[in-house]
Amino acid sequence: MHELKKFGSLELSRRVLNAITDMGFEEPSPIQAEAIPLLMEGEDVIGQAQTGTGKTAAFAIPILEKMNPKFRGVQALVLTPTRELAIQVAEEITKIGKYKQSRALAIYGGQSIDRQILTLKRGVHIVVGTPGRLLDHLRRKTLKLDSIRFAVLDEADEMLDMGFIDDIETILRETPGEKQTLLFSATMPAEIQRLAKKYLRNPRFVSVSRDELTVPQIEQVFYEVKEFNKLEGLCRVLDVTDIKQAIIFCRTKRGVDELVAGLEARGYESEGLHGDLTQAQRNRVMRKFREGRAEILVATDVAARGLDIENVSHVINYDIPQDPESYVHRIGRTGRAGKAGSAVSFVIPKEYRLLRLIEKTVNTRIKRCPLPTFEDVLESQREVIIDRLSDTLQKGGLEHYRSIVEEMAGNHENEEIAAAALKLAFDIEGSHETIDAGEVDFGNTGAKEGMVRFFMNIGRENELRPQDLVRTIAEEAGVPGGTVGAIRIFDRFTFVEVPREYAERVLYSMDRSIINGRRVHMEPAKVRNRQD
Ligand code: AMP
């Protein structure tokens, strides 16, 4: 288990700590707890970490601590494989640096270079960019790297796969010898190790723990949601699940507050628990939960640590945890004292990899469940509705309403009027919408109806066989093998069709995965005029 550490014990400045507090981070993620002290001491670091582990803040925090806002030159350079990541990283740096007057800029192809040049001229402290566009700026001399003190290679294995290795080396050669260099990568192929050897000085290695972990024997399921309909998804699950008491986990304190407010607005009573509460407030919430007077507790990892409550029937990972250990920790809050328990996780497509890492580390399969539909919710509430209606009928006092029904009875069937009244009473706005599908439109990929065809840059020359492909897709994306459709394997590439409902997940899980020792790229197939 990683050492318990607070951000406070990392000796960070007030300004950075305040920004982190505003972001709602409560404690460093494992990769941060390990990497930040080393980086603060001036070490070069290799981090084996993927998206979702908090790796961005792991390097952004020390960079911001060491940055001098008064000096206008570029002091830190972050190389990323894609524009999306460049934007994301620059945003995270901006948030963490908001009290330091730091200026971070994302530089990527596809955006007007003139605007980037203008911003660079005004003075930028931290540049985050994709290699191609960075080179472009270096050639035009619109970007100078001679005052760089930090160079970060983020998702280095991805950059390698995308053929950026020469560009990276060219860029690194433009930076001063005296600097700290960090390399983050999910995998460590030989080429990355070579790069590390060449450009890092006595690097220290940090990684998210991969120790074998034992998990309590409880039912574990997950639901796939989109970021924007997560809350709606949670409400549906709460509606159809027989919960005695549940702890819902969020990644940040802010997340806890927002979720409590969101649940409140939808009529679910819940209590929030996190480190910003006073001890007295915390005690009050815990007592309420312990005595069973609150059904739902929304908490951060830190706040729920040590909570030992027998009747917790469900642990709900509203935000999937940042490492397998936290997962085990969290789900250990249920199934206490030999009672049955369930662990429910909500996963957005880009978190699939993290889910797989958790599954692999804890050596369990987490079952995917379709989100309950509106009909499921209604069905599960049938008895409640009938009870409440009977109750109302019994209590009487319906005279006023009866006259309305009588007035309408001439034009409508009584059943219709009653159903409309129920709809008025029990419908929640938006609750009819299908929230499960949230399918991305991949356009016409030339696939059969209801399927999406993908292109992969691997084929017969890589000894790819259809059965391997089906197995890999089934394992990596967790979809039933039988649902994989037509496969056509050519010498150097392959087309494979998967059902539309699984397409996004398959893409996130398979693109950049490794098959037969080779890193593959997957993308939606494009339809050409002439079929092959
Ligand atoms: P990353 O792995 O850098 O892509 O981070 C994944 C997400 O976790 C981002 O939304 C971060 O803002 C968030 N995050 C990073 N560090 C922490 C932390 N210590 N506590 C809570 N959330 C964090």
Side-chain angles (χ1 to χ4, degrees):
M1 204 178 70
H2 75 268
E3 228 178 304
L4 281 188
K5 266 194 183 145
K6 293 263 172 208
F7 276 112
S9 70
L10 296 178
E11 295 180 23
L12 304 179
S13 66
R14 213 14 53 219
R15 286 181 191 173
V16 168
L17 269 181
N18 285 347
I20 293 174
T21 309
D22 288 353
M23 290 166 83
F25 295 4
E26 195 157 39
E27 64 166 359
S29 69
I31 204 81
Q32 292 163 2
E34 282 194 60
I36 293 172
L38 293 172
L39 292 171
M40 295 296 286
E41 279 164 22
E43 303 274 2
D44 283 6
V45 165
I46 300 176
Q48 185 155 18
Q50 45 200 322
T51 296
T53 54
K55 67 179 165 68
T56 313
F59 61 76
I61 291 172
I63 287 179
L64 285 159
E65 285 291 4
K66 297 194 169 197
M67 185 205 77
N68 175 2
K70 297 214 181 79
F71 178 72
R72 295 226 131 210
V74 180
Q75 300 163 50
L77 174 71
V78 184
L79 296 177
T80 68
T82 62
R83 61 180 273 179
E84 288 76 25
L85 187 62
I87 295 169
Q88 224 171 294
V89 168
E91 280 176 0
E92 183 107 338
I93 293 179
T94 304
K95 280 191 213 153
I96 300 175
K98 75 171 176 182
Y99 297 121
K100 283 209 72 162
Q101 269 82 45
S102 68
R103 286 159 166 274
L105 175 67
I107 284 186
Y108 47 85
Q111 195 200 31
S112 137
I113 196 156
D114 293 335
R115 182 184 310 173
Q116 292 170 354
I117 293 173
L118 213 66
T119 316
L120 282 169
K121 269 197 186 138
R122 273 195 243 124
V124 169
H125 302 112
I126 299 157
V127 165
V128 186
T130 48
R133 182 55 73 95
L134 283 173
L135 268 185
D136 209 352
H137 279 282
L138 288 176
R139 286 197 199 104
R140 292 168 185 243
K141 305 214 178 308
T142 44
L143 172 67
K144 291 209 178 59
L145 300 179
D146 43 14
S147 41
I148 291 290
R149 294 164 61 200
F150 262 106
V152 183
L153 308 180
D154 195 8
E155 304 204 343
D157 50 354
E158 308 275 317
M159 292 199 281
L160 172 75
D161 290 336
M162 292 170 79
F164 285 143
I165 204 83
D166 292 341
D167 292 353
I168 294 173
E169 296 204 44
T170 310
I171 295 168
L172 284 179
R173 277 198 293 270
E174 300 269 329
T175 61
E178 196 49 43
K179 65 174 178 304
Q180 264 181 279
T181 309
L182 336 174
L183 182 151
F184 279 84
S185 197
T187 58
M188 292 290 161
E191 185 71 354
I192 294 294
Q193 291 174 26
R194 183 196 68 81
L195 200 67
K197 219 175 196 162
K198 193 162 165 195
Y199 293 99
L200 277 67
R201 295 161 311 177
N202 307 320
R204 307 284 294 267
F205 186 82
V206 299
S207 70
V208 175
S209 130
R210 279 178 179 267
D211 298 344
E212 269 287 321
L213 296 165
T214 35
V215 271
Q217 287 310 306
I218 59 170
E219 189 200 21
Q220 297 169 59
V221 300
F222 78 90
Y223 295 98
E224 182 178 330
V225 285
K226 306 282 164 185
E227 189 72 55
F228 69 88
N229 63 24
K230 236 173 154 182
L231 179 54
E232 222 43 71
L234 171 66
C235 291
R236 289 228 178 139
V237 171
L238 291 176
D239 284 342
V240 300
T241 313
D242 185 15
I243 291 175
K244 274 206 191 77
Q245 280 193 297
I247 303 180
I248 305 182
F249 282 96
C250 292
R251 197 170 287 153
T252 63
K253 295 185 268 193
R254 225 216 217 144
V256 169
D257 288 337
E258 281 172 6
L259 183 56
V260 169
L263 285 173
E264 200 93 344
R266 285 163 180 75
Y268 302 82
E269 257 189 66
S270 63
E271 295 287 334
L273 190 69
H274 58 60
D276 277 357
L277 305 184
T278 62
Q279 190 58 43
Q281 287 171 318
R282 231 176 315 180
N283 290 345
R284 187 191 61 78
V285 170
M286 302 252 249
R287 196 170 331 113
K288 203 166 164 192
F289 194 63
R290 188 162 283 131
E291 290 170 1
R293 287 183 289 124
E295 191 186 333
I296 298 173
L297 183 71
V298 184
T300 55
D301 290 272
V302 183
R305 214 162 264 153
L307 258 188
D308 189 359
I309 292 166
E310 271 189 26
N311 284 325
V312 175
S313 56
H314 290 78
V315 162
I316 300 177
N317 296 309
Y318 187 64
D319 293 327
I320 181 170
Q322 293 187 305
D323 62 310
E325 258 174 41
S326 305
Y327 180 80
V328 175
H329 253 252
R330 286 180 179 186
I331 71 171
R333 306 291 110 217
T334 183
R336 311 293 281 194
K339 299 202 174 156
S342 301
V344 176
S345 301
F346 287 85
V347 177
I348 57 177
K350 74 172 182 197
E351 291 170 337
Y352 254 97
R353 290 254 170 108
L354 200 53
L355 180 77
R356 296 289 297 135
L357 176 72
I358 292 172
E359 284 187 319
K360 279 183 192 150
T361 321
V362 303
N363 206 8
T364 347
R365 195 79 201 177
I366 304 174
K367 198 173 125 228
R368 177 180 190 246
C369 288
L371 271 179
T373 60
F374 176 69
E375 287 70 32
D376 295 333
V377 173
L378 207 57
E379 191 54 40
S380 75
Q381 298 200 325
R382 202 182 183 89
E383 277 178 32
V384 179
I385 295 178
I386 291 175
D387 276 355
R388 285 180 61 184
L389 272 182
S390 315
D391 209 36
T392 310
L393 281 169
Q394 210 161 27
K395 282 194 184 127
L398 302 173
E399 296 74 21
H400 179 64
Y401 296 100
R402 184 197 291 270
S403 75
I404 297 179
V405 177
E406 279 164 3
E407 187 181 327
M408 295 184 73
N411 297 326
H412 302 275
E413 295 291 333
N414 280 350
E415 275 94 5
E416 287 293 303
I417 300 172
L422 284 180
K423 183 170 155 59
L424 261 184
F426 291 99
D427 249 19
I428 300 165
E429 208 180 325
S431 57
H432 279 283
E433 286 161 22
T434 312
I435 53 175
D436 193 19
E439 283 166 11
V440 173
D441 184 8
F442 288 102
N444 181 9
T445 59
K448 248 178 49 190
E449 181 74 26
M451 308 287 276
V452 175
R453 181 185 294 178
F454 285 110
F455 165 89
M456 297 172 83
N457 65 342
I458 178 173
R460 219 173 283 134
E461 285 184 2
N462 312 96
E463 288 162 22
L464 183 70
R465 298 175 309 168
Q467 59 269 41
D468 299 336
L469 187 56
V470 171
R471 185 172 35 79
T472 314
I473 291 179
E475 274 174 14
E476 291 300 318
V479 306
T483 62
V484 176
I487 295 178
R488 291 188 72 185
I489 300 184
F490 296 81
D491 282 347
R492 297 194 176 173
F493 56 88
T494 295
F495 289 106
V496 55
E497 294 186 11
V498 299
R500 201 168 279 274
E501 63 169 314
Y502 297 133
E504 197 184 5
R505 179 150 45 120
V506 168
L507 183 59
Y508 268 108
S509 315
M510 295 295 296
D511 183 34
R512 300 170 299 184
S513 68
I514 292 170
I515 300 180
N516 292 353
R518 194 199 143 109
R519 172 80 67 149
V520 297
H521 282 283
M522 181 184 241
E523 62 184 45
K526 295 181 193 82
V527 179
R528 304 234 162 82
N529 289 336
R530 194 173 59 83
Q531 286 286 317
D532 47 56

